[in-house]
Amino acid sequence: MNFCSHCGAPVSLRIPVGDSLPRHVCDRCGTVHYQNPKLVIGALPEWQDRILLCRRAIEPRYGFWTLPAGFMENAETTAEAAARETLEEACARVEIGDLFSLINVPHISQVHLVYRARLIDLEFAPGAETLEVALFAEKDIPWDAIAFRSIAMTLQYFYGDRRSGGYRLHVGDVVVGTRTPPE
Amino acid sequence: MNFCSHCGAPVSLRIPVGDSLPRHVCDRCGTVHYQNPKLVIGALPEWQDRILLCRRAIEPRYGFWTLPAGFMENAETTAEAAARETLEEACARVEIGDLFSLINVPHISQVHLVYRARLIDLEFAPGAETLEVALFAEKDIPWDAIAFRSIAMTLQYFYGDRRSGGYRLHVGDVVVGTRTPPE
């Protein structure tokens, strides 16, 4: 961030009075531009004993497999975001179920939520950001080609719960290297 | 948003190629400025059969009671945010427990998360944005003076669960008026 999105003047990185962290503050109008983590929301769509995965047609991780997921938009709910992303990426209609995983990814300031979901029919197809959509049984999951650690963690939680006979919310963190929490 | 925070030129609201929603796009450098929901994260600190509430020293809802909560910061986890907000607003140290509520507030593009928490000691005090901090038994909760609907919902979930003997995650939406989900 170099310029104020309100008035167009240059911004400086400094700690506003009464605050504790550096912010981008406008040198002219004084607007403080906060930057906050983003929510990435997805679904884990089931059909009988198989789940739906998408192969990415965009970077990062072009060609790798993932659950349908993406950035939450303004004015929607988390469940609406999960259904919308599934429709956009896999052209698939789902009935959204329980929230299943919340995974913090602090090194990129993201929080990833995944909902369980039930595919309503088998009419799915690749969306604009997807190369391929397919249903996988557990033995066929391409573990070495999963795009993101939060997605691999979520799939591991899912199959663990399925074996134990009960699904519950899982909360986890993706930790890169050693990490000291911010002040 | 009037100007590009990257290059300082004016922005226009239009739908980028391949996108489906209007975004602020820079007329000069082409940067697309996405706007996404914000996470507000709090704690429900318990001490024996009482819970800690803060009376707000800032708008909105100056003078009303709330749980310690605030905007999640970059580079932290959701549990770290809950502990930090409790320290900032109530000068209180807590052990963070399970995620207890996730409440969508789509008309202001926010998602509110509250964690259960255990007060470590009774050394609490008002932070800079707080007039007063106090412990309340259920019969003393100032239901008519709770600052936000998501907080009132969370407290109702909490006392409902306490009566039923088991705590679980609650997911809810604050709906204002009648509402059609966005496309």
Side-chain angles (χ1 to χ4, degrees):
Chain A
M1 178 172 290
N2 305 306
F3 297 95
C4 176
S5 56
H6 180 66
C7 81
V11 295
S12 305
L13 198 60
R14 55 191 161 89
I15 301 177
V17 176
D19 203 337
S20 56
L21 292 173
R23 314 284 181 185
H24 291 96
V25 182
C26 179
D27 297 337
R28 183 162 61 196
C29 74
T31 299
V32 181
H33 298 279
Y34 296 94
Q35 295 182 315
N36 301 94
K38 288 188 195 299
L39 278 159
V40 173
I41 304 195
L44 198 166
E46 295 175 60
W47 180 268
Q48 296 167 356
D49 70 335
R50 290 183 295 169
I51 66 165
L52 179 147
L53 296 177
C54 299
R55 200 152 75 86
R56 290 173 63 81
I58 54 171
E59 295 293 349
R61 308 295 274 162
Y62 179 101
F64 284 73
W65 291 90
T66 189
L67 294 170
F71 289 108
M72 186 178 178
E73 298 282 4
N74 279 352
E76 66 183 359
T77 68
T78 47
E80 287 165 359
R84 177 185 51 74
E85 287 291 341
T86 306
L87 188 60
E88 287 180 9
E89 305 210 339
C91 304
R93 283 145 300 280
V94 287
E95 181 183 290
I96 295 294
D98 286 342
L99 181 63
F100 181 66
S101 67
L102 181 157
I103 300 182
N104 288 286
V105 196
H107 69 286
I108 52 171
S109 297
Q110 292 183 358
V111 178
H112 295 185
L113 302 184
V114 174
Y115 279 82
R116 292 185 65 204
R118 196 181 59 82
L119 270 181
I120 288 171
D121 55 46
L122 289 175
E123 291 175 23
F124 53 75
E129 300 184 347
T130 303
L131 295 171
E132 187 179 351
V133 181
L135 292 173
F136 290 87
E138 180 177 3
K139 67 178 175 50
D140 300 319
I141 297 283
W143 291 106
D144 294 339
I146 299 295
F148 305 109
R149 274 180 57 189
S150 63
I151 300 299
M153 289 165 68
T154 294
L155 295 177
Q156 285 159 0
Y157 296 147
F158 176 76
Y159 289 115
D161 278 9
R162 194 160 78 169
R163 270 187 291 278
S164 75
Y167 296 94
R168 63 174 185 87
L169 175 74
H170 295 264
V171 176
D173 302 333
V174 170
V175 176
V176 172
T178 56
R179 170 165 185 277
T180 308
E183 282 299 307
Chain B
M1 178 172 289
N2 306 305
F3 297 94
C4 175
S5 56
H6 180 66
C7 80
V11 294
S12 305
L13 197 61
R14 55 190 161 91
I15 300 176
V17 176
D19 204 337
S20 55
L21 292 174
R23 314 284 183 184
H24 291 96
V25 182
C26 179
D27 297 336
R28 183 161 61 198
C29 75
T31 299
V32 181
H33 298 279
Y34 297 94
Q35 293 181 315
N36 302 93
K38 289 189 195 297
L39 278 159
V40 173
I41 304 194
L44 198 167
E46 295 175 59
W47 179 268
Q48 297 167 355
D49 70 336
R50 291 183 294 169
I51 65 163
L52 180 146
L53 296 177
C54 300
R55 200 152 74 86
R56 290 173 63 82
I58 53 170
E59 295 294 349
R61 308 294 274 160
Y62 178 100
F64 285 73
W65 292 91
T66 188
L67 294 169
F71 289 109
M72 187 178 178
E73 298 282 3
N74 279 353
E76 67 185 356
T77 68
T78 48
E80 288 165 0
R84 176 184 53 71
E85 287 291 342
T86 307
L87 189 60
E88 287 180 9
E89 305 210 339
C91 305
R93 283 146 299 281
V94 287
E95 182 183 291
I96 296 293
D98 286 341
L99 181 63
F100 181 66
S101 68
L102 182 158
I103 300 182
N104 288 285
V105 196
H107 69 285
I108 51 171
S109 297
Q110 292 183 358
V111 178
H112 295 186
L113 302 184
V114 174
Y115 279 84
R116 292 186 66 203
R118 197 182 59 82
L119 270 181
I120 289 172
D121 55 46
L122 289 176
E123 292 174 21
F124 53 75
E129 300 182 348
T130 304
L131 295 170
E132 188 180 352
V133 182
L135 292 174
F136 289 87
E138 181 178 3
K139 67 179 174 52
D140 300 320
I141 296 283
W143 291 106
D144 293 339
I146 299 295
F148 304 109
R149 274 179 58 187
S150 64
I151 300 299
M153 289 165 68
T154 295
L155 296 177
Q156 286 159 359
Y157 296 147
F158 177 75
Y159 289 115
D161 278 9
R162 195 162 76 169
R163 271 187 290 279
S164 75
Y167 296 94
R168 63 174 184 86
L169 175 74
H170 295 264
V171 177
D173 301 334
V174 170
V175 176
V176 172
T178 56
R179 171 167 184 277
T180 308
E183 281 300 306

